[in-house]
């Protein structure tokens, strides 16, 4: 089955810096890659997603890049703010199985 | 439009008991997926229901089961509870099944097994 590795497990940055979280996947049939943000005590919420026919997608301060050949995708957050502090999860799923596999999560801490 | 709701929000049980959790999806969503979230294992997929049929199943023992009703509401049951079943159980709804797309998560049910 699919295996998703996510790094780093913890990321500490200063306000205004950029943050990058990386994920690799194993199943070349995976074609949908969402990123979820989970604040402490709250539910995961989709912040951005990308499909395999696109290499990059941006939404304000957040961007996701996908390298299908290398089977990895990354979340980029620019100009980080304290409210960006949360756990971020990547996931991969395919049209064939649909079962989404999540990474273990990255705890992002943005220091004011 | 109301979001995904889950009841109860918190539950304390003892080993050997069974528990039933409930999830109401967003109106119009027909797919409901269940996940177990623990600090050690992260988010793990349990199963997905669409139109009252289980479409996909994760790698969990048969003690974990579920069902979906005609109004798309779903229930998850865990029998013979073990200490390791303590976790946050999340459900997520989406419009379709079989085509990956955005899932909307509920607030979760925090289950503690003593």
């Amino acid at each position: 089955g699919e295996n998703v590795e996510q790094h780093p497990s913890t990321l500490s940055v200063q306000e205004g810096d950029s943050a990058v979280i990386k994920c690799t996947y194993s199943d070349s049939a995976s074609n949908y890659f969402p990123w979820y943000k989970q604040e402490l005590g709250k539910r995961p919420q989709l912040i951005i997603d990308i499909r395999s026919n696109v290499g990059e997608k941006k939404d304000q301060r957040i961007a996701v890049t996908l390298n299908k050949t290398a089977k990895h995708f990354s979340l980029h957050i620019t100009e980080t703010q304290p409210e960006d502090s949360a756990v971020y999860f990547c996931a991969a799923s395919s049209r064939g199985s649909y079962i989404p596999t999540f990474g273990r999560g990255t705890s992002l801490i943005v220091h004011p | 439009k109301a979001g995904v709701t889950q009841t109860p929000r918190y539950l304390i049980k003892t080993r050997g008991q069974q528990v039933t959790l409930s999830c109401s999806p967003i109106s119009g969503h027909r797919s409901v997926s269940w996940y177990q979230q623990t600090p050690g294992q992260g988010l793990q997929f349990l199963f997905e229901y669409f139109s009252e049929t289980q479409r996909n199943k994760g790698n969990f023992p048969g003690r974990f089961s579920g069902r979906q009703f005609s109004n798309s509401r779903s229930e998850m049951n865990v029998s013979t509870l073990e200490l390791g079943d303590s976790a946050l159980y999340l459900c997520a709804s989406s419009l379709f099944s079989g085509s990956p797309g955005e899932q909307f998560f509920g607030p979760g049910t925090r289950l503690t097994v003593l």
Side-chain angles (χ1 to χ4, degrees), chain B residues 6-113:
Chain B
Q6 290 185 246
T7 57
R9 293 293 312 280
Y10 302 92
L11 209 47
I12 300 175
K13 293 286 188 179
T14 56
R15 280 181 298 173
Q17 288 187 308
Q18 75 165 21
V19 66
T20 299
L21 313 181
S22 180
C23 172
S24 293
I26 291 171
S27 177
H29 285 194
R30 296 167 64 190
S31 171
V32 175
S33 297
W34 288 89
Y35 296 86
Q36 182 192 67
Q37 186 175 29
T38 59
Q41 298 297 320
L43 265 166
Q44 292 190 291
F45 176 80
L46 280 154
F47 29 66
E48 183 226 358
Y49 286 86
F50 182 82
S51 293
E52 302 177 65
T53 302
Q54 187 181 90
R55 291 291 183 94
N56 293 283
K57 190 177 190 304
N59 190 26
F60 277 81
R63 300 185 297 107
F64 292 81
S65 63
R67 59 178 176 167
Q68 186 180 36
F69 302 94
S70 58
N71 62 357
S72 294
R73 189 177 70 84
S74 178
E75 287 183 348
M76 190 192 95
N77 186 76
V78 188
S79 62
T80 321
L81 284 166
E82 300 177 359
L83 294 178
D85 297 333
S86 293
L88 179 67
Y89 290 89
L90 292 159
C91 77
S93 76
S94 58
L95 272 173
F96 306 113
S97 171
S99 179
E102 182 173 3
Q103 292 186 308
F104 295 84
F105 282 87
T109 294
R110 173 75 63 185
L111 172 64
T112 302
V113 182

Side-chain angles (χ1 to χ4, degrees), chain A residues 38 43 46 51 97-98 100 104, chain B residues 35 37 40 56 100 105-106:
Chain A
Q38 187 175 27
R43 70 191 75 189
L46 181 77
R51 296 185 186 270
S97 73
Y98 178 61
R104 289 288 185 94
Chain B
Y35 296 86
Q37 186 175 29
N56 293 283
F105 282 87

Side-chain angles (χ1 to χ4, degrees), chain A residues 46-62:
Chain A
L46 181 77
I47 54 171
I48 195 167
D49 58 9
I50 192 168
R51 296 185 186 270
S52 59
N53 58 346
V54 175
E56 184 177 3
K57 185 176 179 180
K58 286 184 181 180
D59 183 3
Q60 298 182 345
R61 297 186 295 109
I62 295 172

